Amino acid sequence: MSAEHRAGLVCVHADDSLLVLDKPAGLLCVPGRGPDKQDCLSARAQALWPDALIVHRLDQPTSGLVLMARSLPMQRALSQAFAERQVHKRYQAVVAGRLQPDASTDGHGWSLIDLPIAADWERRPLRIVDAERGQPSLTRWRVLARGHANDTTRVELEPVTGRTHQLRVHLAALGHPILGDMLYADAATQARAPRLLLHACALGFMHPISGEECSYLSEPPF
């Protein structure tokens, strides 16, 4: 299905119940504090669909697919689907170094990161891996391609849990931070990309009204 460009938005799908939008990097999902942080995905969506409601969020520097509801009952239904892990999301990222699959790899090339994540209260909004205080956090990943000099790796990521900054924290914990990550990468890795190279490229769920299996894709812009 082709995307429609309207009023600063890329709409991948719209019906009477929900929207699937393709958020650009650098745009907030919801308004922040201060007059300079009022432009956001939800405000742009509500200018076209006044009933649009946020269901989940992407970090400001992350691009890709975002699902929105068009009524309170639909927002509750979709939020419950997220909570019950019935919404399937995949991302692509480019990380520093040659990331190698580990011993947990299954027969399809997927490895698993199982590292608990907690808030780093002294350095908010950062998160850290913390075996004592962290919440269980699981990420599946597999290698898609290597950089020309073997100094980067393109990976596909599937968050099993949905912790704040989970993908960024997990990859940094492996010693392979995402290029352009201003929170979890060192200065040299930050400087290797003009933005965070993390994109929500696939979204799948069962439509709460029709029961139809819905699947949407977005090519990474990097």
Side-chain angles (χ1 to χ4, degrees):
M1 183 178 296
S2 61
E4 180 183 5
H5 296 248
R6 296 175 61 187
L9 280 180
V10 177
C11 180
V12 178
H13 172 81
D15 62 35
D16 292 340
S17 301
L18 55 86
L19 307 166
V20 179
L21 305 175
D22 200 335
K23 185 184 86 68
L27 184 67
L28 290 164
C29 275
V30 297
R33 293 181 180 177
D36 59 328
K37 294 183 174 61
Q38 298 309 296
D39 180 28
C40 61
L41 186 73
S42 61
R44 293 186 187 185
Q46 287 164 3
L48 297 170
W49 300 277
D51 54 2
L53 298 169
I54 282 285
V55 175
H56 68 117
R57 305 180 190 183
L58 295 178
D59 293 344
Q60 183 177 5
T62 304
S63 56
L65 298 173
V66 176
L67 180 60
M68 296 187 73
R70 297 193 63 187
S71 68
L72 283 171
M74 182 57 58
Q75 185 186 44
R76 287 192 291 268
L78 292 174
S79 295
Q80 183 175 355
F82 270 96
E84 296 177 357
R85 301 180 186 176
Q86 296 173 355
V87 179
H88 305 289
K89 298 181 291 179
R90 286 193 180 175
Y91 296 72
Q92 282 192 31
V94 178
V95 304
R98 184 179 176 85
L99 181 54
Q100 296 277 37
D102 59 28
S104 68
T105 302
D106 64 15
H108 302 283
W110 289 92
S111 296
L112 181 69
I113 305 171
D114 181 0
L115 295 172
I117 294 174
D120 187 347
W121 294 110
E122 295 182 356
R123 298 187 301 155
R124 286 177 290 179
L126 270 65
R127 299 298 194 270
I128 56 172
V129 171
D130 189 319
E132 293 182 0
R133 299 184 299 111
Q135 293 179 297
S137 306
L138 300 172
T139 299
R140 298 176 72 235
W141 66 274
R142 64 180 176 180
V143 173
L144 294 178
R146 305 288 185 187
H148 294 302
N150 263 339
D151 60 349
T152 62
T153 307
R154 181 178 290 269
V155 293
E156 186 173 18
L157 302 156
E158 185 177 273
V160 179
T161 52
R163 311 302 179 200
T164 299
H165 298 172
Q166 176 175 314
L167 302 179
R168 301 163 72 179
V169 171
H170 271 174
L171 289 166
L174 294 185
H176 298 274
I178 301 174
L179 269 57
D181 191 339
M182 303 304 289
L183 292 181
Y184 299 101
D186 59 29
T189 304
Q190 292 174 10
R192 295 181 66 182
R195 54 154 291 191
L196 176 72
L197 298 190
L198 178 62
H199 182 77
C201 60
L203 186 64
F205 57 94
M206 181 176 290
H207 197 292
I209 300 298
S210 68
E212 176 186 2
E213 288 288 343
C214 300
S215 180
Y216 302 97
L217 299 173
S218 171
E219 286 296 320
F222 51 79

